[in-house]
Amino acid sequence: MTTLAPHRDPAIVSAASAALAGFAAECRLVRAASALTDDGFTIARIPQVGTDERLASMASTLQALTDAVVRELRIGRTDHLQVVASEGAVVVRRVGTQRCAIVAVFDEPPGPDDLTDLETAAARLAEAWPAG
Amino acid sequence: MAEYVILFAGPMGAGKTTAIRSLSEIEVVSTEVANTDREAFDKPTTTVGMDYGEIDLDPDKVRLYGVPGQARFDFMWEILRERAMGLIVLVNADAPEPERHVYEHLTAFAELARRGGVVVGVTRYDLQRTDIGDRIVATARAVLPDRVTPVFAVDARDQEQMRTLLLSLIADIETRQAVAEAAS
């Protein structure tokens, strides 16, 4: 018997949508965000239209490469990763112990409050994740 | 001493990560994660970034890169193919339409195949002994009509078989380099 994939599970999709909506309401800098599985499937995203389809797969690659570096250097577990560019920034944060992360694209490098908002969104999704 | 950068491409489940683990003399740097959609493809893990391994073929050093098999990660194909010199396409014979995967991957990496070298390895051939070999040879000829593309039946878990495949590719690269130098 196979388990329903997270991106097809209505309860997980609903929880992820709510977590992202709350994040968007609290964080003024966020341009787009996706909740994604470790293997790069989009569970939910904001905005629904105009978000790059490949954001989830690119974020899962970034997460996996970062995990590989963390593993090679034996420096524990990845908390989050941050890419700062000249016209924006990307942050990927794992959702608790789930095989899931949230990626957020910001208009400018996020401050501590923005990172806390993202951390809160990830914690909310982890809390709402169905047991089993 | 030469240094070769070799790409392993092919669909999910063809044995790319296994092949690099068979060949590498260093611990493989892997970006395998849990496959969360077992309904779509029943395999426990999938590569989302790349695999990396190394092997010394005295006097040459070979860097082995495996790219993700799923097309939604094709941005990694673009990144890695630019610095590659040779291509190993792996397909599993028991997949539906393996020749379609050969077509898709040889087409995606055609520039590398023409610039460097290419071989095709068919895994799980013992499970599907049909005319699949002929179909794959014909497909490779259709995509790359101006060159011969060797096709081998291989077991990705077998170091010697994978070594033979790799040496065949490097011989192909060196031959083409020698011909190009002689012509210039």
Coordinates of all heavy atoms in Angstrom, one line a residue, chain B residues 8 16-29 51-56 62-65 156 159 162-163 166:
Chain B
F8 N 26.5 11.4 -15.9 CA 25.6 10.3 -16.0 C 24.2 10.8 -16.0 O 23.7 11.5 -15.1 CB 25.7 9.4 -14.7 CG 27.0 8.6 -14.7 CD1 28.2 9.2 -14.5 CD2 26.9 7.2 -14.9 CE1 29.4 8.4 -14.4 CE2 28.1 6.4 -14.8 CZ 29.3 7.0 -14.6
K16 N 21.8 5.5 -12.1 CA 22.9 6.5 -12.1 C 23.6 6.6 -10.8 O 24.9 6.6 -10.8 CB 22.3 7.9 -12.5 CG 21.6 7.9 -13.9 CD 21.0 9.2 -14.2 CE 19.9 9.7 -13.3 NZ 18.7 8.9 -13.3
T17 N 22.9 6.8 -9.7 CA 23.6 6.9 -8.4 C 24.3 5.6 -8.1 O 25.4 5.6 -7.6 CB 22.5 7.2 -7.3 OG1 21.8 8.4 -7.7 CG2 23.1 7.3 -6.0
T18 N 23.7 4.5 -8.4 CA 24.3 3.2 -8.1 C 25.6 3.0 -8.9 O 26.6 2.6 -8.4 CB 23.4 2.0 -8.5 OG1 22.2 2.2 -7.7 CG2 24.0 0.7 -8.2
A19 N 25.6 3.4 -10.2 CA 26.8 3.3 -11.1 C 27.9 4.2 -10.5 O 29.1 3.7 -10.5 CB 26.4 3.8 -12.5
I20 N 27.6 5.4 -10.1 CA 28.6 6.3 -9.5 C 29.2 5.7 -8.3 O 30.4 5.7 -8.0 CB 28.1 7.7 -9.4 CG1 27.9 8.3 -10.8 CG2 29.1 8.6 -8.6 CD1 27.2 9.7 -10.7
R21 N 28.3 5.1 -7.4 CA 28.8 4.5 -6.2 C 29.7 3.3 -6.5 O 30.7 3.0 -5.8 CB 27.6 4.0 -5.3 CG 27.0 5.2 -4.7 CD 26.0 4.8 -3.6 NE 25.5 6.0 -2.9 CZ 24.2 6.2 -2.6 NH1 23.3 5.3 -2.9 NH2 23.9 7.4 -2.0
S22 N 29.4 2.5 -7.6 CA 30.2 1.4 -8.0 C 31.6 1.8 -8.4 O 32.6 1.1 -8.2 CB 29.5 0.6 -9.1 OG 28.3 0.1 -8.7
L23 N 31.7 3.0 -9.1 CA 32.9 3.4 -9.7 C 33.8 4.2 -8.8 O 35.0 4.2 -8.8 CB 32.6 4.3 -10.9 CG 32.2 3.5 -12.2 CD1 31.7 4.5 -13.2 CD2 33.4 2.8 -12.8
S24 N 33.2 5.0 -7.9 CA 33.9 6.1 -7.2 C 34.9 5.5 -6.2 O 34.5 4.5 -5.4 CB 32.9 7.0 -6.5 OG 33.7 8.0 -5.8
E25 N 36.0 6.1 -6.1 CA 37.0 5.7 -5.1 C 37.0 6.6 -3.9 O 37.7 6.4 -2.9 CB 38.4 5.8 -5.7 CG 38.6 4.7 -6.8 CD 39.9 4.8 -7.6 OE1 40.4 5.9 -7.6 OE2 40.2 3.9 -8.3
I26 N 36.1 7.7 -3.9 CA 35.9 8.5 -2.8 C 34.5 8.3 -2.3 O 33.7 7.7 -3.1 CB 36.1 10.0 -3.0 CG1 35.1 10.5 -4.1 CG2 37.6 10.3 -3.5 CD1 35.0 12.0 -4.1
E27 N 34.1 8.7 -1.1 CA 32.8 8.6 -0.7 C 31.9 9.5 -1.6 O 32.2 10.7 -1.7 CB 32.6 9.0 0.8 CG 31.3 8.7 1.3 CD 31.2 8.9 2.8 OE1 32.2 9.0 3.5 OE2 30.1 9.0 3.4
V28 N 30.8 9.0 -2.1 CA 30.1 9.8 -3.1 C 29.3 10.9 -2.4 O 28.7 10.6 -1.3 CB 29.1 8.8 -3.8 CG1 28.1 9.6 -4.7 CG2 29.8 7.9 -4.7
V29 N 29.4 12.1 -2.9 CA 28.5 13.2 -2.4 C 27.2 13.0 -3.1 O 27.1 13.1 -4.3 CB 29.2 14.6 -2.8 CG1 28.3 15.7 -2.3 CG2 30.5 14.7 -2.2
D51 N 24.9 13.8 -8.0 CA 25.8 12.9 -7.3 C 27.2 13.2 -7.8 O 27.4 13.7 -8.9 CB 25.5 11.4 -7.7 CG 24.2 11.0 -7.2 OD1 23.8 11.2 -6.0 OD2 23.4 10.4 -8.0
Y52 N 28.2 13.0 -6.9 CA 29.6 13.3 -7.3 C 30.5 12.2 -6.8 O 30.5 11.9 -5.6 CB 30.0 14.7 -6.8 CG 31.5 15.0 -7.1 CD1 31.9 15.3 -8.4 CD2 32.5 14.9 -6.1 CE1 33.2 15.5 -8.7 CE2 33.8 15.1 -6.4 CZ 34.2 15.4 -7.7 OH 35.5 15.6 -8.0
G53 N 31.3 11.7 -7.7 CA 32.4 10.7 -7.3 C 33.6 10.9 -8.1 O 33.6 11.7 -9.0
E54 N 34.7 10.3 -7.7 CA 35.9 10.4 -8.5 C 36.6 9.0 -8.6 O 36.4 8.2 -7.7 CB 36.9 11.3 -7.7 CG 36.6 12.7 -7.6 CD 37.6 13.5 -6.8 OE1 38.6 12.9 -6.3 OE2 37.4 14.7 -6.5
I55 N 37.3 8.9 -9.7 CA 38.1 7.6 -9.9 C 39.4 8.0 -10.6 O 39.4 8.8 -11.5 CB 37.3 6.6 -10.7 CG1 38.1 5.3 -10.9 CG2 36.8 7.1 -12.0 CD1 37.3 4.2 -11.5
D56 N 40.5 7.4 -10.2 CA 41.8 7.6 -10.8 C 42.0 6.4 -11.8 O 41.9 5.3 -11.4 CB 42.9 7.5 -9.8 CG 43.2 8.9 -9.2 OD1 43.1 9.9 -10.0 OD2 43.5 9.0 -8.0
V62 N 39.2 11.1 -13.3 CA 37.8 11.2 -13.8 C 36.9 11.7 -12.7 O 36.8 11.1 -11.7 CB 37.3 9.9 -14.4 CG1 36.0 10.1 -15.1 CG2 38.3 9.3 -15.4
R63 N 36.2 12.8 -13.0 CA 35.2 13.3 -12.1 C 33.8 12.8 -12.6 O 33.5 13.0 -13.8 CB 35.3 14.8 -12.0 CG 36.6 15.3 -11.5 CD 36.6 16.8 -11.3 NE 37.9 17.3 -11.0 CZ 38.4 17.3 -9.7 NH1 37.7 16.8 -8.7 NH2 39.6 17.8 -9.5
L64 N 33.0 12.2 -11.7 CA 31.8 11.6 -12.2 C 30.6 12.4 -11.6 O 30.5 12.5 -10.3 CB 31.7 10.1 -11.6 CG 32.9 9.3 -11.9 CD1 32.9 8.0 -11.0 CD2 33.0 8.9 -13.4
Y65 N 29.8 12.9 -12.4 CA 28.6 13.7 -11.9 C 27.3 13.0 -12.4 O 27.2 12.7 -13.6 CB 28.6 15.1 -12.5 CG 29.6 16.0 -11.9 CD1 30.9 16.1 -12.5 CD2 29.3 16.8 -10.8 CE1 31.9 16.9 -11.9 CE2 30.3 17.7 -10.3 CZ 31.6 17.7 -10.9 OH 32.5 18.6 -10.3
A156 N 24.6 -1.8 -13.2 CA 25.1 -0.6 -12.5 C 25.8 -1.0 -11.2 O 26.6 -0.2 -10.7 CB 24.0 0.4 -12.3
Q159 N 31.2 -3.1 -10.6 CA 32.2 -2.2 -10.8 C 33.0 -2.4 -12.1 O 33.3 -1.5 -12.8 CB 33.2 -2.2 -9.6 CG 34.3 -1.2 -9.7 CD 35.3 -1.4 -8.6 OE1 35.8 -2.5 -8.3 NE2 35.7 -0.3 -8.0
M162 N 30.9 -1.3 -15.1 CA 30.8 0.1 -15.2 C 32.2 0.7 -15.6 O 32.3 1.7 -16.3 CB 30.4 0.7 -13.9 CG 28.9 0.4 -13.5 SD 27.7 0.6 -14.9 CE 28.0 2.3 -15.3
R163 N 33.3 0.1 -15.2 CA 34.6 0.5 -15.5 C 34.8 0.3 -17.1 O 35.4 1.2 -17.7 CB 35.6 -0.3 -14.7 CG 37.0 0.3 -14.6 CD 37.8 -0.5 -13.7 NE 39.2 -0.2 -13.9 CZ 39.9 0.6 -13.1 NH1 39.2 1.2 -12.1 NH2 41.1 0.9 -13.3
L166 N 33.0 3.1 -18.8 CA 33.7 4.3 -18.6 C 34.9 4.4 -19.5 O 35.2 5.4 -20.2 CB 34.1 4.5 -17.2 CG 34.8 5.8 -16.8 CD1 33.9 7.0 -17.1 CD2 35.2 5.8 -15.3

